[in-house]
Amino acid sequence: MNTTLDYLQNTYGPLLRMGSVAEVLGRSPEGLRVSLCKDDAVSRHLNSGKVRIGRRVYFKAVCIAELMDNGTPE
């Protein structure tokens, strides 16, 4: 049985770009950027898994899988 994390890592790798996260969550990239600026549980969870490499922003696959599996974090 494949888990969400296995799927994300096999498809996108250990780090997902902003466009990939938007695609997985069913949002537009601009909508995702706007929601990351808000102060709610989902944005705090996503921002905790944010990794910057130079000017690029990536998100840990583990963080995205937790959000998809558990729903809105507390």
Side-chain angles (χ1 to χ4, degrees), residues 35-36 38-49 63 73-74:
S35 65
L36 287 173
K38 295 180 181 178
D39 186 29
D40 60 359
V42 174
S43 64
R44 282 192 297 271
H45 185 73
L46 286 174
N47 284 326
S48 70
C63 179
E74 298 301 320

Side-chain angles (χ1 to χ4, degrees), residues 3-71:
T3 64
T4 306
L5 179 59
D6 292 336
Y7 169 76
L8 290 175
Q9 287 182 337
N10 290 336
T11 306
Y12 301 103
L15 296 174
L16 284 76
R17 295 188 65 160
M18 181 83 69
S20 300
V21 174
E23 179 183 324
V24 168
L25 297 178
R27 295 178 171 220
S28 68
E30 187 61 33
L32 181 61
R33 282 187 197 94
V34 169
S35 65
L36 287 173
C37 293
K38 295 180 181 178
D39 186 29
D40 60 359
V42 174
S43 64
R44 282 192 297 271
H45 185 73
L46 286 174
N47 284 326
S48 70
K50 189 187 300 187
V51 176
R52 289 186 179 268
I53 300 175
R55 293 177 61 187
R56 298 181 186 231
V57 177
Y58 297 94
F59 295 88
K60 296 177 185 176
V62 174
C63 179
I64 305 303
E66 287 174 356
L67 182 64
M68 292 176 69
D69 288 341
N70 300 330

